[in-house]
Amino acid sequence: KVDEAFGQSDGAVVAGTIADLDNAGQLYQDNTSIGSIAVIRSPDNPQKLLAVDPTCTHQGCTVDWDGDKKQFKCPCHGAKFSANGKVLKGPASSPLGTYKAKIQGNSVIVSK
Ligand code: FES
């Protein structure tokens, strides 16, 4: 479930809680008011959150976060993306879209 964040009108959404993020290693929300969202902790700096649009830029499948390899993988044709959405392997040629993510209280807030 996605709520508009604290009445903000700038399209920020609550992607989930910090506890959910740390239990699952990722947060996914489909079709929020700002698009589909995947949030992870930065592999380089776990204090930092990274948020991308998990819609593959090849043909629109939803990419999966591989927490062991620290990359997003597309189940359809095998494209791979880094934690911040850069293309590591084709056939996709464009990076994933990105968002801003921050922690507010116990919640993860994502905005464009
Ligand atoms: Fe992702 Fe083709 S849709 S690699």
Side-chain angles (χ1 to χ4, degrees):
K1 168 165 152 356
V2 177
D3 295 309
E4 289 294 326
F6 308 109
Q8 294 177 38
S9 57
D10 57 357
V13 298
V14 178
T17 65
I18 294 293
D20 290 340
L21 173 62
D22 287 333
N23 284 339
Q26 61 201 298
L27 292 172
Y28 272 80
Q29 293 287 353
D30 285 339
N31 298 317
T32 77
S33 60
I34 59 172
S36 294
I37 294 169
V39 183
I40 56 171
R41 288 189 181 272
S42 169
D44 300 329
N45 175 7
Q47 300 307 314
K48 193 176 161 210
L49 301 185
L50 298 174
V52 304
D53 182 339
T55 308
C56 184
T57 55
H58 179 228
Q59 287 180 8
C61 293
T62 300
V63 299
D64 299 313
W65 174 244
D66 181 335
D68 293 330
K69 297 202 169 132
K70 312 292 186 202
Q71 56 189 213
F72 291 99
K73 283 200 282 203
C74 183
C76 291
H77 314 101
K80 293 181 182 174
F81 302 87
S82 70
N84 59 5
K86 297 215 165 38
V87 177
L88 300 175
K89 180 172 173 289
S93 55
S94 306
L96 299 175
T98 57
Y99 302 103
K100 293 177 208 149
K102 66 177 180 180
I103 296 169
Q104 194 165 314
N106 294 320
S107 299
V108 176
I109 311 294
V110 174
S111 60
K112 284 207 168 183

